[in-house]
Coordinates of all heavy atoms in Angstrom, one line a residue:
D34 N 12.0 12.6 -4.8 CA 11.7 11.1 -5.1 C 12.8 10.3 -4.5 O 12.5 9.2 -3.9 CB 11.7 10.9 -6.6 CG 11.4 9.5 -7.1 OD1 10.4 9.0 -6.5 OD2 12.1 9.0 -7.9
A35 N 14.1 10.7 -4.6 CA 15.2 9.9 -4.0 C 15.0 9.9 -2.6 O 15.3 8.9 -1.9 CB 16.5 10.6 -4.4
T36 N 14.6 11.0 -1.9 CA 14.5 11.0 -0.4 C 13.3 10.1 0.0 O 13.5 9.4 1.0 CB 14.2 12.5 -0.1 OG1 15.2 13.4 -0.5 CG2 14.1 12.6 1.6
M37 N 12.3 10.2 -0.7 CA 11.2 9.3 -0.4 C 11.6 7.8 -0.4 O 11.1 7.1 0.5 CB 9.9 9.6 -1.2 CG 9.3 10.9 -1.0 SD 8.0 11.3 -2.3 CE 6.8 10.1 -2.0
R38 N 12.3 7.5 -1.6 CA 12.7 6.1 -1.6 C 13.5 5.7 -0.4 O 13.5 4.6 0.2 CB 13.5 5.8 -2.9 CG 12.8 6.1 -4.2 CD 13.7 6.0 -5.4 NE 13.0 6.2 -6.6 CZ 12.7 5.1 -7.4 NH1 13.0 3.9 -7.1 NH2 12.0 5.3 -8.5
W39 N 14.5 6.6 -0.1 CA 15.4 6.3 1.0 C 14.7 6.2 2.4 O 14.9 5.4 3.2 CB 16.4 7.4 1.0 CG 17.4 7.4 2.2 CD1 18.3 6.5 2.6 CD2 17.4 8.4 3.2 NE1 18.9 6.9 3.7 CE2 18.3 8.1 4.2 CE3 16.8 9.6 3.4 CZ2 18.7 8.8 5.3 CZ3 17.1 10.3 4.5 CH2 18.0 9.9 5.5
C40 N 13.8 7.1 2.6 CA 13.2 7.2 4.0 C 12.2 6.1 4.4 O 11.8 6.0 5.4 CB 12.6 8.6 4.3 SG 11.0 8.8 3.4
W41 N 11.8 5.3 3.2 CA 10.9 4.2 3.5 C 11.6 3.1 4.3 O 11.1 2.2 4.8 CB 10.3 3.7 2.3 CG 9.2 4.5 1.9 CD1 9.1 5.3 0.6 CD2 7.8 4.7 2.5 NE1 7.9 6.0 0.7 CE2 7.1 5.6 1.7 CE3 7.3 4.2 3.7 CZ2 5.8 6.1 2.0 CZ3 6.0 4.7 3.9 CH2 5.4 5.6 3.1
I42 N 12.9 3.1 4.1 CA 13.8 2.0 4.7 C 14.1 2.2 6.1 O 14.7 3.2 6.5 CB 15.1 1.8 3.9 CG1 14.9 1.7 2.4 CG2 15.9 0.7 4.5 CD1 16.1 1.6 1.5
P43 N 13.5 1.4 7.1 CA 13.6 1.6 8.4 C 15.0 1.5 9.1 O 15.4 1.9 10.1 CB 12.7 0.7 9.1 CG 12.5 -0.5 8.1 CD 12.7 0.2 6.8
D44 N 15.9 0.7 8.3 CA 17.2 0.3 8.9 C 18.1 1.5 9.1 O 19.0 1.5 10.0 CB 18.0 -0.6 7.9 CG 17.3 -2.0 7.9 OD1 16.4 -2.3 8.7 OD2 17.5 -2.7 6.9
W45 N 17.8 2.7 8.5 CA 18.7 3.8 8.7 C 18.4 4.6 10.0 O 19.2 5.3 10.4 CB 18.5 4.8 7.5 CG 17.1 5.3 7.4 CD1 16.1 4.8 6.6 CD2 16.5 6.5 8.0 NE1 15.0 5.6 6.7 CE2 15.3 6.6 7.5 CE3 17.1 7.5 8.8 CZ2 14.4 7.7 7.9 CZ3 16.3 8.5 9.2 CH2 15.0 8.6 8.8
L46 N 17.3 4.3 10.6 CA 16.9 5.0 11.8 C 17.9 5.0 13.0 O 18.2 6.0 13.6 CB 15.5 4.6 12.3 CG 14.3 5.2 11.5 CD1 13.0 4.5 11.8 CD2 14.2 6.7 11.7
P47 N 18.2 3.8 13.4 CA 19.2 3.8 14.6 C 20.4 4.6 14.4 O 20.9 5.2 15.3 CB 19.5 2.2 14.7 CG 18.3 1.6 14.0 CD 17.9 2.5 12.9
S48 N 21.1 4.6 13.2 CA 22.3 5.2 13.2 C 22.1 6.7 12.8 O 22.9 7.6 13.1 CB 23.2 4.6 12.0 OG 22.4 4.6 10.8
W49 N 21.0 7.1 12.3 CA 20.7 8.5 11.7 C 20.0 9.2 12.9 O 20.5 10.4 13.1 CB 19.9 8.4 10.5 CG 19.4 9.8 10.1 CD1 18.2 10.3 10.0 CD2 20.3 10.7 9.5 NE1 18.2 11.5 9.4 CE2 19.5 11.8 9.1 CE3 21.6 10.9 9.2 CZ2 20.0 13.0 8.5 CZ3 22.2 12.1 8.7 CH2 21.3 13.1 8.3
C50 N 19.1 8.7 13.6 CA 18.4 9.4 14.7 C 19.1 9.2 16.0 O 19.3 7.9 16.4 CB 17.0 9.0 14.8 SG 16.1 9.5 13.3
P51 N 19.4 10.1 16.7 CA 20.1 9.9 18.1 C 19.1 9.5 19.2 O 18.8 10.1 20.2 CB 20.7 11.2 18.4 CG 19.8 12.2 17.8 CD 19.3 11.6 16.6
T52 N 18.5 8.2 19.0 CA 17.5 7.7 19.9 C 17.6 6.2 20.1 O 18.2 5.6 19.2 CB 16.1 8.1 19.5 OG1 15.1 7.8 20.5 CG2 15.7 7.4 18.2
S53 N 16.9 5.7 21.0 CA 16.9 4.2 21.2 C 15.9 4.0 22.4 O 15.4 4.9 23.0 CB 18.2 3.7 21.6 OG 18.6 4.3 23.0
Q54 N 15.5 2.8 22.6 CA 14.6 2.5 23.7 C 15.3 2.9 25.1 O 14.6 3.3 25.9 CB 14.3 1.0 23.7 CG 13.2 0.6 22.7 CD 11.9 1.1 22.9 OE1 11.5 1.3 24.1 NE2 11.3 1.6 21.8
S55 N 16.6 2.8 25.1 CA 17.2 3.1 26.4 C 17.1 4.7 26.5 O 17.0 5.2 27.7 CB 18.7 2.7 26.3 OG 19.4 3.2 27.4
H56 N 17.3 5.4 25.5 CA 17.1 6.9 25.6 C 15.7 7.2 26.0 O 15.6 8.2 26.8 CB 17.4 7.5 24.2 CG 18.9 7.7 23.8 ND1 19.6 6.6 23.2 CD2 19.8 8.6 24.1 CE1 20.9 7.1 23.1 NE2 21.0 8.2 23.5
L57 N 14.8 6.6 25.5 CA 13.4 6.9 25.8 C 13.1 6.5 27.3 O 12.5 7.4 28.0 CB 12.4 6.0 24.9 CG 10.9 6.2 25.3 CD1 10.4 7.6 25.3 CD2 10.2 5.2 24.3
K58 N 13.7 5.4 27.8 CA 13.5 5.1 29.2 C 14.0 6.1 30.2 O 13.4 6.5 31.1 CB 14.0 3.6 29.5 CG 13.9 3.2 30.9 CD 14.6 1.9 31.1 CE 14.4 1.5 32.6 NZ 15.0 2.4 33.5
T59 N 15.3 6.5 29.7 CA 15.9 7.5 30.6 C 15.2 8.8 30.5 O 15.0 9.6 31.6 CB 17.3 7.8 30.1 OG1 18.1 6.6 30.1 CG2 18.1 8.8 30.9

Side-chain angles (χ1 to χ4, degrees):
D34 183 49
T36 302
M37 288 172 66
R38 291 169 181 264
W39 170 66
C40 75
W41 281 111
I42 303 173
D44 293 342
W45 61 271
L46 279 169
S48 59
W49 177 245
C50 295
T52 191
S53 65
Q54 283 295 320
S55 176
H56 281 89
L57 175 55
K58 180 183 182 302
T59 299

